[in-house]
Amino acid sequence: MDIQTAKREIMLAAAALRDAGLMFRGHHANLSARLSTDTMLMTRGGNVANLDEDSFAVIRTDGTVLEGEVMPAQAEIIQMHAAVYRAKESVGGIIHTHAPHATVFALAHEPIPVVYEPLMRFGMTEPAPVIAWAPRGSDASVNGIVEAVGAKPGIAAVLLANHGVLAFGKSPAETAQLLATLDEAAELILNARLIGGEKPLPREAFAQIEERKREFETTKA
Ligand SMILES: [Zn+2]
């Protein structure tokens, strides 16, 4: 993705997250897009609710800042994004927020199960796992994320224990939609637990969704 497209997509994604209340009250988030195999564009800190052209840094996925000044608080989370790009080639966009319902699960150390069908459209067929708490951006935290991402291809988001959520998709736009859907799922599951709890999707649903996605893609092409 070229740098201008990446900036535009991230700005739109951030505005959508803000408007949907997914940055919670603190408007805390960091967003990135893959530029090439080994470079990414990331928000450089500060106010993510109102990003502009100057809100970004170009960073190599080994953590080296190539362009733009990254604020100290933001420097800690470079590896959180970079490691996911290194671990999963198909990832083109990453978003970290404290989305209000998904973060409830992070605080309770409870994975978000895939029981809300729309989640599967984003390729999420595995529960969003909880990564054990460690200081944000620390080796322990980053290793935990990489291990989870590497273990199962159906993981599209992880919960950072006692902290928030990290979601990753094909692009910043898709990842913003995924995050919105994940937070909807979390809210619905919490509500379902008031009336007997969520129920699993039938096992064949996962195969059927894959089949339908393929059909749709073939028709489109
Ligand atoms: Zn955070």
Side-chain angles (χ1 to χ4, degrees), residues 28-30 77 80 96-98 136 160 163-165:
H28 171 91
N30 35 75
I77 56 94
M80 198 165 87
H96 164 62
T97 66
H98 304 162
R136 62 183 207 150
L160 308 173
H163 180 177
V165 57

Side-chain angles (χ1 to χ4, degrees), residues 20-104:
L22 290 162
M23 287 185 187
F24 209 13
R25 298 192 190 101
H27 284 169
H28 171 91
N30 35 75
L31 300 88
S32 68
R34 188 195 285 280
L35 295 174
S36 69
T37 316
D38 62 352
T39 56
M40 64 178 186
L41 182 79
M42 195 177 88
T43 48
R44 59 187 197 87
N47 188 349
V48 271
N50 294 295
L51 295 170
D52 61 32
E53 287 278 324
D54 193 36
S55 306
F56 300 94
V58 178
I59 303 168
R60 232 178 12 222
T61 51
D62 66 3
T64 316
V65 179
L66 300 176
E67 219 178 280
E69 199 184 320
V70 177
M71 294 182 191
Q74 192 76 350
E76 293 172 7
I77 56 94
I78 287 177
Q79 283 301 338
M80 198 165 87
H81 288 246
V84 176
Y85 287 118
R86 288 199 305 268
K88 203 168 174 177
E89 217 178 302
S90 61
V91 170
I94 301 177
I95 302 176
H96 164 62
T97 66
H98 304 162
H101 303 95
T103 302
V104 170

Side-chain angles (χ1 to χ4, degrees), residues 4-220:
Q4 282 313 320
T5 309
K7 280 187 183 180
R8 215 171 32 243
E9 258 206 37
I10 289 179
M11 286 194 268
L12 286 172
L17 294 179
R18 179 200 62 208
D19 294 348
L22 290 162
M23 287 185 187
F24 209 13
R25 298 192 190 101
H27 284 169
H28 171 91
N30 35 75
L31 300 88
S32 68
R34 188 195 285 280
L35 295 174
S36 69
T37 316
D38 62 352
T39 56
M40 64 178 186
L41 182 79
M42 195 177 88
T43 48
R44 59 187 197 87
N47 188 349
V48 271
N50 294 295
L51 295 170
D52 61 32
E53 287 278 324
D54 193 36
S55 306
F56 300 94
V58 178
I59 303 168
R60 232 178 12 222
T61 51
D62 66 3
T64 316
V65 179
L66 300 176
E67 219 178 280
E69 199 184 320
V70 177
M71 294 182 191
Q74 192 76 350
E76 293 172 7
I77 56 94
I78 287 177
Q79 283 301 338
M80 198 165 87
H81 288 246
V84 176
Y85 287 118
R86 288 199 305 268
K88 203 168 174 177
E89 217 178 302
S90 61
V91 170
I94 301 177
I95 302 176
H96 164 62
T97 66
H98 304 162
H101 303 95
T103 302
V104 170
F105 285 78
L107 264 55
H109 294 190
E110 188 155 341
I112 300 177
V114 184
V115 290
Y116 182 42
E117 199 242 45
L119 268 183
M120 294 197 290
R121 309 261 166 187
F122 297 95
M124 183 164 162
T125 52
E126 296 283 346
V130 181
I131 309 301
W133 187 88
R136 62 183 207 150
S138 66
D139 286 351
S141 171
V142 171
N143 290 343
I145 294 167
V146 170
E147 242 169 67
V149 171
K152 286 173 182 157
I155 290 177
V158 296
L159 301 170
L160 308 173
N162 305 86
H163 180 177
V165 57
L166 186 74
F168 30 92
K170 290 195 188 79
S171 65
E174 190 197 280
T175 307
Q177 282 186 324
L178 158 68
L179 192 63
T181 309
L182 183 69
D183 203 64
E184 280 176 9
E187 184 173 9
L188 292 167
I189 292 165
L190 290 171
N191 285 334
R193 289 182 183 179
L194 298 172
I195 56 164
E198 72 277 13
K199 300 291 179 282
L201 278 152
R203 205 152 6 128
E204 56 271 26
F206 292 88
Q208 278 168 5
I209 283 282
E210 276 310 309
E211 189 56 36
R212 285 180 67 96
K213 251 172 57 183
R214 261 200 304 276
E215 269 171 34
F216 180 70
E217 276 154 16
T218 327
T219 327
K220 228 176 27 173

